[in-house]
Amino acid sequence: MKPLDILLAISVPVIWGLGFTLAKVAFVYVNFPPILLMAFRFLLTALVMVWFVKPPLGLMWKIFWIAVVSATIQYALMFTGLDGLDASLAIIVVQLEAPFLALLAAVFLKDHLGWRRAIGMALAFCGVLLIAGQPKLQGDLLPVILVAGGAFVWACGQIMIKNWLKNSLGGFQQIAWVAVFATPQLFLTSWMIEDGQWEAIQNAGWIGWGVVAYMGLIMTGLGYAIWYRLLGIYNVTQVMPFLLLLPVASISGSMLFLGERLSVIEIAGSAIVIFGVSIVTILKNGDSQNEQ
């Protein structure tokens, strides 16, 4: 990879990881309801991007249901869980996305899993169980379950995209129109299950609206712009390992902005998760085939 592209690849997990931390900042300092924050995020993304892409005629109904799963349900679960969990721990649980996707791809897409990837998945889950067993989480595992559920739903959404869209949409077109459909879904979901929305809007201030701007424009718009550019130039196996830096970026931001600290056991569990995910992520399909 060219040096500039390596820097761009590093910037993606930094942008995404910082966005995860800033969402927690909005929850802590502004008391912004999580689902409402996601609704404003996708509203801003849709308002900025939809004018520059063509409507995916003939695919609207499929994109509607993809938005239900991969945006509305996923982010409602994940960020509601984040609201009750340290950002530094939540981002580790989010790493279960890769093992979940590998497992679902083996079941529904007939991808070969291989024993090495199976071991990586087992390690990742064991690391999360180690984190979940910490005393400060005892009696309140719901946030961990919600974040893990969000990771699983994300994987389900990727399978839907693979089966239904079959690369018929460009990356920006897909992001823009998923945002269009997700926005009213998230506002409706927030209205149904959250409270304090009007107070949060009134008291958001520069912190709340700054987080919305970052998540809608930088995290979603710029982050995915760089990501899809890299995927258009390089193989997935070249760029995917850079996403292992996402926990590093988020944990660093959590220590800086939120004063969070990890215990020794949490660090050990995090290391096990990242190591397991690295096996699942980095292992090439060719290596997996050689295991047969």
Side-chain angles (χ1 to χ4, degrees):
M1 295 180 66
K2 297 178 180 179
L4 177 59
D5 291 334
I6 292 176
L7 290 176
L8 289 174
I10 293 173
S11 74
V12 172
V14 173
I15 289 172
W16 289 348
L18 183 58
F20 202 78
T21 299
L22 290 179
K24 182 68 175 183
V25 170
F27 303 157
V28 172
Y29 293 105
V30 186
N31 201 27
F32 220 120
I35 302 174
L36 182 67
L37 179 65
M38 294 301 103
F40 278 116
R41 168 192 178 178
F42 280 104
L43 172 63
L44 184 57
T45 300
L47 288 175
V48 171
M49 296 184 65
V50 74
W51 315 107
F52 301 100
V53 294
K54 295 180 179 179
L57 300 178
L59 295 173
M60 290 294 195
W61 192 240
K62 291 181 178 180
I63 294 177
F64 170 84
W65 285 109
I66 288 173
V68 170
V69 174
S70 66
T72 302
I73 298 177
Q74 176 204 338
Y75 286 111
L77 289 172
M78 189 172 290
F79 282 84
T80 300
L82 171 63
D83 191 24
L85 194 64
D86 286 352
S88 52
L89 296 182
I91 196 63
I92 298 300
V93 181
V94 169
Q95 301 310 298
L96 291 178
E97 290 176 344
F100 279 138
L101 181 57
L103 180 61
L104 292 177
V107 174
F108 294 103
L109 302 180
K110 306 305 179 184
D111 286 359
H112 179 68
L113 187 61
W115 65 269
R116 293 180 184 176
R117 286 183 178 175
I119 291 176
M121 291 172 57
L123 285 173
F125 287 116
C126 287
V128 170
L129 289 176
L130 183 61
I131 292 172
Q134 291 305 291
K136 66 181 179 182
L137 294 178
Q138 292 301 304
D140 190 20
L141 292 180
L142 181 60
V144 176
I145 295 171
L146 290 174
V147 175
F152 178 76
V153 173
W154 176 87
C156 293
Q158 300 310 300
I159 298 298
M160 291 173 63
I161 291 170
K162 182 72 173 179
N163 279 333
W164 288 6
L165 300 185
K166 301 183 185 300
N167 299 319
S168 58
L169 294 181
F172 289 119
Q173 191 179 21
Q174 179 179 310
I175 294 168
W177 284 96
V178 165
V180 168
F181 284 111
T183 297
Q185 295 171 10
L186 285 162
F187 275 117
L188 178 61
T189 304
S190 176
W191 176 75
M192 292 174 61
I193 66 177
E194 292 183 322
D195 53 31
Q197 291 92 332
W198 182 240
E199 291 80 0
I201 292 172
Q202 289 181 308
N203 300 323
W206 70 269
I207 294 178
W209 298 121
V211 171
V212 169
Y214 183 91
M215 297 191 74
L217 300 178
I218 307 300
M219 185 179 183
T220 304
L222 179 61
Y224 277 102
I226 297 172
W227 180 247
Y228 283 119
R229 177 188 180 276
L230 294 173
L231 288 180
I233 300 174
Y234 301 101
N235 294 329
V236 174
T237 51
Q238 288 179 278
V239 295
M240 279 296 292
F242 285 97
L243 293 187
L244 294 173
L245 294 174
L246 199 153
V248 177
S250 186
I251 291 172
S252 299
S254 301
M255 295 174 66
L256 178 63
F257 295 112
L258 297 166
E260 295 181 359
R261 295 293 185 272
L262 293 176
S263 68
V264 174
I265 298 298
E266 289 167 345
I267 292 173
S270 301
I272 293 172
V273 173
I274 293 173
F275 180 64
V277 170
S278 69
I279 295 175
V280 177
T281 303
I282 298 175
L283 187 62
K284 295 181 180 180
N285 291 332
D287 295 335
S288 182
Q289 294 296 331
N290 290 335
E291 297 168 1
Q292 298 184 33

